[in-house]
């Protein structure tokens, strides 16, 4: 698994320490083990998890600004856990409403010794942030409109950003943004080992 991860990283400009690579592999091992009982992800093959969960998450790291982030609807910790591993100077709140996912995340926190993540069980609209976040990250929301309506209370008013990890660029959704939100930038992403479209949509307050 470590060799597979290193071969994927070799095709990118992402440089990680041995400890970070080992933590990423250990996370995939845990995800694979817990998945059998908890059904945390539809991806069953650990080799595919390295591509579809690890590489797919950490590729956005260079585009994040700030040090306090919240991953809403994090599920089993995606993209928050991989990002926390490669970005140890930042703090990630991992928010999910399902108890089994949060239990898994607490075990990840314990076994990997991640001091910069905080798993929280809550519905996003009921979560009270203190203080506000530099970035709101989402990989699983149905639409940008849902993300913005449910998460509008989470980012800092001026400097805060919404980071939506998308597949095919949702052009229709981008034409229907609320007036108080503007498109900052769209970044096409290349995922090592994955022949599918990926985009990072960054939004900010007007």
């Amino acid at each position: 698994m470590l060799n597979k991860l290193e071969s994927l990283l070799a095709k990118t400009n992402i440089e990680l320490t041995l400890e970070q690579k080992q933590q990423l592999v250990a996370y995939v091992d845990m995800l694979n083990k817990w998945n059998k009982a908890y059904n945390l992800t539809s991806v069953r093959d650990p080799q595919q998890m390295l591509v579809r969960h690890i590489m797919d998450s950490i590729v956005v790291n260079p585009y994040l600004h700030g040090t306090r982030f919240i991953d809403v609807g994090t599920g089993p910790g995606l993209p928050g856990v991989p990002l926390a591993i490669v970005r140890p100077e930042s703090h990630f709140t991992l928010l999910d409403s399902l108890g089994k996912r949060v239990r898994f995340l607490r075990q990840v926190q314990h076994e990997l010794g991640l001091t910069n993540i905080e798993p929280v069980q809550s519905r996003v609209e009921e979560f009270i942030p203190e203080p506000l976040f530099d970035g709101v990250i989402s990989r699983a929301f149905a639409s940008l409109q849902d993300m913005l309506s449910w998460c509008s209370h989470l980012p800092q008013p001026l400097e805060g950003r919404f980071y939506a990890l998308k597949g095919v660029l949702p052009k229709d959704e981008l034409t229907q943004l609320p007036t108080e939100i503007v498109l900052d930038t769209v970044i096409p992403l290349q995922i090592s080992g994955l022949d599918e479209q990926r985009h990072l949509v960054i939004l900010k307050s007007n």
Side-chain angles (χ1 to χ4, degrees):
M1 288 282 282
L2 189 58
N3 289 340
K4 168 73 170 175
L5 178 60
E6 288 184 329
S7 72
L8 291 168
L9 289 168
K11 299 169 189 165
T12 72
N13 57 4
I14 301 170
E15 292 187 11
L16 302 178
T17 65
L18 178 59
E19 183 187 11
Q20 287 172 319
K21 294 173 193 171
Q22 289 170 333
Q23 284 179 315
L24 290 170
V25 169
Y27 170 63
V28 169
D29 284 340
M30 289 186 67
L31 191 51
N32 183 46
K33 185 165 62 178
W34 279 60
N35 206 33
K36 294 175 174 67
Y38 280 73
N39 199 26
L40 297 169
T41 168
S42 60
V43 180
R44 299 295 177 192
D45 177 12
Q47 302 272 341
Q48 277 298 303
M49 288 180 186
L50 285 175
V51 175
R52 293 185 167 273
H53 291 336
I54 301 302
M55 300 306 297
D56 205 18
S57 295
I58 65 177
V59 71
V60 303
N61 181 49
Y63 309 107
L64 302 181
H65 296 283
T67 57
R68 294 191 73 258
F69 300 93
I70 182 167
D71 178 9
V72 291
T74 187
L78 298 163
V81 169
L83 284 171
I85 289 171
V86 304
R87 197 182 180 91
E89 74 283 0
S90 294
H91 186 274
F92 291 82
T93 297
L94 308 179
L95 192 74
D96 203 275
S97 60
L98 268 190
K100 67 177 184 179
R101 295 174 183 158
V102 175
R103 283 194 294 278
F104 170 70
L105 291 171
R106 290 192 178 124
Q107 192 62 27
V108 168
Q109 182 181 31
H110 172 70
E111 286 194 27
L112 301 190
L114 295 178
T115 58
N116 64 331
I117 65 170
E118 182 187 0
V120 175
Q121 184 179 351
S122 173
R123 292 170 60 86
V124 63
E125 57 268 41
E126 296 167 0
F127 178 70
I128 308 299
E130 181 58 47
L132 297 173
F133 293 97
D134 299 319
V136 178
I137 305 171
S138 171
R139 188 171 179 250
F141 265 84
S143 70
L144 294 175
Q145 281 66 32
D146 285 347
M147 180 187 186
L148 293 167
S149 67
W150 293 337
C151 304
S152 60
H153 61 298
L154 300 176
Q156 293 189 50
L158 294 177
E159 296 302 315
R161 296 286 184 274
F162 293 95
Y163 299 94
L165 284 68
K166 292 285 190 178
V168 176
L169 188 64
K171 293 179 182 175
D172 289 351
E173 294 175 24
L174 289 172
T175 63
Q176 300 169 34
L177 295 177
T179 52
E180 69 273 15
I181 298 291
V182 295
L183 177 64
D184 187 343
T185 185
V186 172
I187 299 159
L189 302 169
Q190 295 291 323
I191 313 299
S192 184
L194 189 64
D195 188 24
E196 296 173 17
Q197 285 192 46
R198 291 288 189 272
H199 294 85
L200 175 62
V201 178
I202 306 177
L203 307 168
K204 64 180 179 179
S205 297
N206 198 347

